Amino acid sequence: MKKITSLLLAAIFLASCQNTPAPSEESTTANTETAKSEGKTTPAWAEHASIYEVNIRQYTPEGTLNAFSEHLDRLKELGIKVLWIMPVQPIGKENRKGGLGSYYSISDYTAVNPNFGTLEDFKALVNEAHARDMKVILDWVANHTAFDHPWTQSHPEWYTHDSTGAIIPPVADWSDVADLNYDEKGLWTAMKESMQFWVKEADVDGFRCDVAMMVPMEFWNETSRALDSLKPVFMLAEAEGPEFHSAFDMTYGWEMHHIMNEIAKGEMDFSHLNNYLSKEDSLYAAADLRMNFVTNHDENSWNGTAYERMGANVHNYFVLCAGMKRSMPLVYSGQEAGLNKRLAFFEKDTINWSDESQYPFYQKVLALKASHPALINGAEQGELEIIETGNPNVYAYSRSKGDAQVIFYMNFGEEAAEIKLASDAGNLKNYMNDESVDASKAHSLNGHDFLILVNN
């Protein structure tokens, strides 16, 4: 049931990068009906939400839960609704990579890494977030454990072994973690109870599930229902595909992310993005949330900063993420401070918070996501229409819900471009500065700049 080989895993990730053609009408209908009829019921608070990934180790000089808590008011003002906390559990020492090891090599599912603080500190963080009407989801690693997790001794049958009987990693390069074997139903119970612990003891609001596609879907379906019986939980899968929405509220927008990276390199153009958007509409139900992003912990550490990959168009790509259908935009730790370095993954590497110039941009865009009726997620989401600009460097689209409309123009080129606005768009204003805009006149849009218009 469980075993996905390294080759197959690589194929999954590679497939997510490709601009695959839209499925047939028959398969599209089946997939959409499955998502609608069997999909998980998503909490109403997610309709206008944005999500923030918290890297506790690198967030402050102290690298503790309590030190991070001092930033909650700032993040609330930024417009964040959901805090995704990277794993807080103790990190294994056997086969550890680097001096501090990977968050994702867990040696005890129901404890807190003493470098970060205590279980009481974590509970206090959740309580403080809830007091600010923010939600907390905990990163969960169900596919593997550290090699010195107690289960390796008490339940070796819960692990995958090679021909010599030795426990092995799920992927050769992941040499610091031991692969779990989901053919063993005892593992299902133990893993489910470990997740329930954090809901019962710490009142977390859900989980971000690491490499969810490497764990059986039946486990996620069963566990999601069990968690929902305690309280309505929000489930984010590090996976892509409509089938995951039977257990998960949101999946990663990996394909869109890779398309944006390829456009930035000049290897794709915006026709590939348009094809992707059509395909997404055919595959996913309106209620299927998609997390779109310009960076996250994996991208930053292993593939380069947002600025390395996207250059001067980072803001344009983030605006693109925030305005899409079904989208919950992600902000990674330090992104709002112009994070322009690859954070060390296995060592202490504190984020530099001295640059406050980016903060107003993210705050303003997230406020639009949180308030504009055309950008709501779920069944009531606004329609998306691509606007032809006649310029391959200028991408534009509108979102409309009833009389409410927001129009996005983004110039990804270096040179200023002249753009013509729809003359029937009504009274418009520039959302970023609240100035009125005459839709009947042409406008010049600077290179690497964007224009967001809303009707008054």
Side-chain angles (χ1 to χ4, degrees):
M1 179 189 298
K2 155 71 170 61
K3 292 302 99 200
I4 298 179
T5 66
S6 301
L7 182 60
L8 179 55
L9 177 61
I12 291 172
F13 281 110
L14 181 61
S16 73
C17 301
Q18 305 304 311
N19 185 49
T20 51
S24 67
E25 182 176 349
E26 181 179 357
S27 65
T28 294
T29 302
N31 281 329
T32 303
E33 289 178 351
T34 297
K36 289 179 179 177
S37 62
E38 300 179 9
K40 187 177 182 299
T41 301
T42 297
W45 55 256
E47 290 180 342
H48 277 295
S50 298
I51 185 169
Y52 190 95
E53 182 183 5
V54 181
N55 188 330
I56 293 291
R57 177 189 289 164
Q58 316 299 22
Y59 213 88
T60 63
E62 300 87 347
T64 64
L65 296 162
N66 288 339
F68 167 71
S69 292
E70 298 298 317
H71 289 259
L72 289 177
D73 285 334
R74 180 180 63 81
L75 293 174
K76 172 69 174 177
E77 292 173 3
L78 184 64
I80 299 301
K81 180 68 174 181
V82 186
L83 297 173
W84 150 22
I85 311 290
M86 291 173 68
V88 299
Q89 294 97 330
I91 294 170
K93 295 181 180 179
E94 185 176 345
N95 299 336
R96 173 178 285 190
K97 291 185 176 183
L100 296 177
S102 168
Y103 290 111
Y104 297 87
S105 178
I106 291 174
S107 62
D108 185 342
Y109 279 110
T110 57
V112 170
N113 185 337
N115 290 335
F116 299 161
T118 66
L119 179 58
E120 292 304 313
D121 293 337
F122 184 80
K123 291 180 181 179
L125 169 60
V126 175
N127 288 337
E128 288 296 322
H130 287 171
R132 293 162 174 80
D133 195 31
M134 301 167 79
K135 306 295 182 180
V136 177
I137 65 173
L138 179 62
D139 213 326
W140 196 260
V141 188
N143 179 68
H144 46 263
T145 73
F147 275 95
D148 47 3
H149 191 290
W151 290 350
T152 60
Q153 300 299 316
S154 62
H155 290 285
E157 73 277 11
W158 290 357
Y159 291 86
T160 307
H161 301 257
D162 65 14
S163 59
T164 70
I167 295 174
I168 60 174
V171 177
D173 185 54
W174 302 358
S175 58
D176 57 339
V177 292
D179 190 43
L180 287 166
N181 178 14
Y182 275 83
D183 288 340
E184 295 292 327
K185 287 303 183 74
L187 169 62
W188 290 42
T189 300
M191 188 65 71
K192 177 174 61 180
E193 290 177 350
S194 296
M195 297 179 77
Q196 289 175 320
F197 168 88
W198 290 94
V199 178
K200 294 176 180 178
E201 295 299 319
D203 199 24
V204 299
D205 302 293
F207 298 90
R208 176 267 185 188
C209 298
D210 189 60
V211 290
M213 69 286 192
M214 296 179 73
V215 175
M217 199 63 224
E218 294 89 343
F219 168 80
W220 292 126
N221 287 329
E222 177 181 306
T223 299
S224 180
R225 290 192 296 268
L227 293 170
D228 271 335
S229 71
L230 300 176
K231 64 180 287 189
V233 294
F234 186 84
M235 300 289 283
L236 165 60
E238 189 196 15
E240 187 160 43
E243 65 273 16
F244 290 95
H245 287 272
S246 61
F248 293 94
D249 301 279
M250 186 160 70
T251 49
Y252 268 53
W254 276 123
E255 185 171 358
M256 178 170 162
H257 178 76
H258 292 310
I259 289 172
M260 292 190 299
N261 281 339
E262 292 302 304
I263 292 174
K265 291 192 297 185
E267 299 296 327
M268 287 186 177
D269 58 34
F270 287 103
S271 68
H272 294 86
L273 177 61
N274 292 342
N275 290 341
Y276 163 77
L277 296 177
S278 296
K279 184 178 72 171
E280 187 182 61
D281 271 344
S282 70
L283 288 174
Y284 291 90
D288 296 341
L289 294 178
R290 312 281 282 129
M291 187 178 76
N292 290 319
F293 50 93
V294 298
T295 190
N296 59 36
H297 69 273
D298 282 320
E299 288 296 295
N300 171 268
S301 291
W302 308 120
N303 296 326
T305 70
Y307 296 96
E308 287 180 83
R309 290 178 286 103
M310 297 176 172
N313 284 310
V314 169
H315 283 187
N316 280 345
Y317 284 112
F318 185 78
V319 168
L320 195 62
C321 290
M324 289 289 103
K325 293 171 69 174
R326 304 177 189 84
S327 180
M328 185 183 292
L330 169 72
V331 179
Y332 178 48
S333 296
Q335 184 176 333
E336 73 273 33
L339 178 64
N340 198 13
K341 67 173 293 188
R342 301 188 186 197
L343 296 175
F345 203 82
F346 308 116
E347 311 290 348
K348 183 77 174 93
D349 192 6
T350 305
I351 295 167
N352 181 353
W353 293 101
S354 63
D355 181 3
E356 299 181 353
S357 63
Q358 304 291 305
Y359 188 89
F361 161 77
Y362 287 99
Q363 185 180 47
K364 190 76 171 176
V365 173
L366 294 181
L368 179 68
K369 174 64 182 177
S371 63
H372 201 284
L375 299 186
I376 194 171
N377 289 322
E380 300 301 317
Q381 65 185 324
E383 293 302 314
L384 185 150
E385 181 178 353
I386 304 299
I387 299 172
E388 294 297 332
T389 67
N391 186 327
N393 292 322
V394 179
Y395 189 76
Y397 65 99
S398 67
R399 296 290 308 279
S400 301
K401 178 68 177 177
D403 293 332
Q405 185 179 44
V406 55
I407 309 171
F408 301 89
Y409 290 88
M410 291 147 285
N411 183 0
F412 290 85
E414 294 186 5
E415 303 297 326
E418 185 177 277
I419 57 174
K420 292 184 177 180
L421 308 181
S423 59
D424 59 350
N427 296 322
L428 298 174
K429 69 176 180 180
N430 183 328
Y431 169 74
M432 298 300 286
N433 60 22
D434 288 328
E435 293 181 359
S436 296
V437 174
D438 187 345
S440 66
K441 295 181 179 179
H443 293 260
S444 179
L445 185 60
N446 290 333
H448 312 303
D449 201 2
F450 64 92
L451 175 65
I452 302 176
L453 301 174
V454 293
N455 56 344
N456 297 323

